């Protein structure tokens, strides 16, 4: 019998992955926060996506079965609590995929289960929940999965078939650093200036601050021997701001809705890495503090 994949963090991206795995013919179980959610789920025992039902099961973190395959799709700030709630169920050699924004929690998960096979992932898919367990796949993207300095053949099983575009990434660390760098450049500024991504390139003051942030990020990356992009980071950041000009960044949306932001695993991670290398990053630190003041 095939081992189930457990989804810790059944938000939009977690649900999208649950459907993808179901589509691949793999059993899936969502780990939900409370009994009320499990009861609600059990009314349909599936996730609805594009008029199609993807059957799966759901349970609480306290359920008894050993977890051998796990995808963590919580917000990065919820990682510790969520992980601790299932830690005693985890097989020491479990296969784990950490699919989150920002950096830091991937390494933390690996430190918590040193014998597990932990892969990191980054996605450009967009999805949102129209209603509980009723999903909209808003933007088709790519999910890159890989493990630093390791090749796990089981990742291939998640790539062949299914409706998501998933690829093995031999340099997932660089991929996550690139995403982090772009997020450092765009997210805090849009959240503080309460503006769409595109305004960052149209307003000279915002643009010069973004350029200063980018220079600091590049200094930190270089200290770790990471060459982020072929050209300067500011060019990439401007390009992303341009192609997402009409979007409100995820951080601005969190701030507007009074939710915790992911600043600690984006700019916070960058500032911690800068400290390790003794590199001053005053602009990033200033925006870290500003966002922490508004809402962590
Ligand atoms: O976090 C986000 O909102 C996005 O990654 C991006 C591209 C920085 C802004 O839309």
């Amino acid at each position: 019998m095939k081992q189930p994949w457990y989804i810790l963090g059944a938000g939009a991206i977690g649900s999208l992955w649950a459907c993808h795995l179901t589509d691949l013919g793999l059993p899936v179980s969502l780990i939900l926060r409370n009994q009320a959610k499990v009861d609600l789920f059990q009314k349909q025992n599936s996730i609805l996506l594009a008029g199609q039902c993807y059957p799966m099961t759901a349970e609480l973190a306290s359920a008894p079965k050993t977890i051998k395959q796990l995808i963590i799709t919580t917000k990065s700030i919820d990682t510790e609590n969520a992980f601790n709630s299932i830690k005693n169920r985890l097989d020491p050699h479990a296969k784990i995929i950490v699919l989150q924004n920002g950096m830091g929690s991937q390494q933390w998960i690996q430190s918590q289960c040193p014998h597990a096979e932990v892969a990191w992932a980054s996605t450009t898919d967009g999805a949102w929940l129209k209603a509980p367990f009723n999903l909209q796949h808003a933007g088709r993207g790519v999910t890159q999965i890989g493990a630093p300095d390791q090749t796990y053949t089981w990742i291939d099983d998640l790539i062949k078939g299914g409706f998501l575009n998933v690829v093995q990434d031999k340099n997932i660390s660089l991929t996550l650093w690139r995403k982090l760098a772009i997020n450092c450049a765009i997210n805090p500024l849009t959240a503080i200036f309460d503006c769409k991504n595109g305004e960052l390139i149209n307003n000279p003051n915002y643009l010069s601050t973004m350029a200063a942030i980018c220079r600091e990020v590049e200094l930190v990356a270089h200290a770790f021997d990471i060459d982020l992009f072929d050209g300067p980071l500011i060019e990439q950041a401007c390009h992303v701001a341009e192609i997402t000009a009409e979007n409100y960044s995820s951080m601005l949306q969190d701030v507007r809705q009074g939710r915790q932001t992911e600043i600690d695993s984006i700019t916070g991670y960058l500032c911690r890495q800068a400290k390790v290398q003794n590199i001053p990053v005053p602009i990033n630190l200033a925006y870290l503090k500003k966002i922490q003041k508004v809402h962590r």
Side-chain angles (χ1 to χ4, degrees):
M1 202 180 119
K2 286 177 185 162
Q3 282 295 330
W5 277 94
Y6 290 86
I7 310 284
L8 187 60
I13 293 296
S15 300
L16 192 65
W17 264 82
C19 294
H20 174 71
L21 296 170
T22 305
D23 203 29
L24 282 167
L26 303 171
V28 173
S29 191
L30 307 176
I31 299 173
L32 301 180
R33 237 182 255 257
N34 53 47
Q35 191 57 45
K37 289 214 158 139
V38 174
D39 292 345
L40 186 64
F41 178 83
Q42 284 174 345
K43 287 187 177 152
Q44 60 187 60
N45 279 316
S46 58
I47 290 179
L48 188 64
L49 168 64
Q52 205 178 318
C53 282
Y54 291 83
M56 58 191 77
T57 58
E59 62 190 57
L60 292 174
S62 56
K65 280 199 185 141
T66 301
I67 296 175
K68 295 191 172 179
Q69 303 185 130
L70 176 69
I71 303 193
I72 302 176
T73 42
T74 59
K75 278 186 97 168
S76 49
I77 32 169
D78 297 328
T79 309
E80 283 196 36
N81 281 344
F83 182 79
N84 287 335
S85 72
I86 53 99
K87 199 176 172 184
N88 61 346
R89 295 177 57 189
L90 205 57
D91 184 295
H93 300 280
K95 298 164 184 156
I96 303 177
I97 298 174
V98 187
L99 171 53
Q100 292 179 321
N101 284 334
M103 288 182 82
S105 52
Q106 298 86 351
Q107 295 88 336
W108 183 82
I109 295 285
Q110 184 73 74
S111 72
Q112 295 300 299
C113 29
H115 304 295
E117 299 191 352
V118 182
W120 304 357
S122 174
T123 190
T124 53
D125 273 306
W128 56 282
L129 287 164
K130 295 194 266 193
F133 314 115
N134 184 348
L135 187 67
Q136 177 80 38
H137 191 184
R140 291 205 163 267
V142 183
T143 303
Q144 290 161 272
I145 307 185
D149 312 318
Q150 296 280 353
T151 307
Y152 296 134
T153 47
W154 52 263
I155 296 176
D156 289 336
D157 301 339
L158 312 178
I159 290 177
K160 294 177 202 132
F163 62 85
L164 289 180
N165 185 6
V166 188
V167 294
Q168 280 254 24
D169 188 340
K170 299 255 177 273
N171 207 345
I172 189 71
S173 230
L174 177 63
T175 301
L176 288 179
W177 256 99
R178 285 178 166 169
K179 189 159 188 211
L180 180 102
I182 298 290
N183 285 156
C184 284
I186 295 179
N187 294 21
L189 293 181
T190 52
I192 291 298
F193 298 127
D194 194 35
C195 67
K196 287 182 178 173
N197 295 350
E199 279 183 56
L200 296 182
I201 42 179
N202 294 328
N203 179 315
N205 291 333
Y206 298 173
L207 185 58
S208 65
T209 311
M210 183 158 78
I213 286 178
C214 288
R215 279 193 297 275
E216 291 183 0
V217 173
E218 283 173 322
L219 286 177
V220 179
H222 283 159
F224 286 99
D225 279 332
I226 297 166
D227 261 331
L228 285 170
F229 297 99
D230 286 342
L233 173 57
I234 183 65
E235 276 177 18
Q236 287 295 325
C238 286
H239 173 66
V240 173
E242 199 178 334
I243 57 175
T244 60
E246 288 306 310
N247 293 5
Y248 294 103
S249 76
S250 51
M251 195 171 288
L252 173 55
Q253 291 181 45
D254 284 341
V255 167
R256 282 186 173 179
Q257 287 168 37
R259 295 188 299 236
Q260 275 197 308
T261 69
E262 299 195 290
I263 193 74
D264 282 331
S265 54
I266 297 175
T267 309
Y269 180 81
L270 188 271
C271 292
R272 289 192 293 279
Q273 297 309 109
K275 204 168 173 195
V276 170
Q277 296 286 356
N278 234 340
I279 293 170
V281 285
I283 319 279
N284 279 282
L285 259 179
Y287 278 89
L288 172 63
K289 289 192 180 135
K290 278 180 206 261
I291 299 282
Q292 283 175 336
K293 246 192 201 160
V294 180
H295 214 300
R296 281 178 77 87

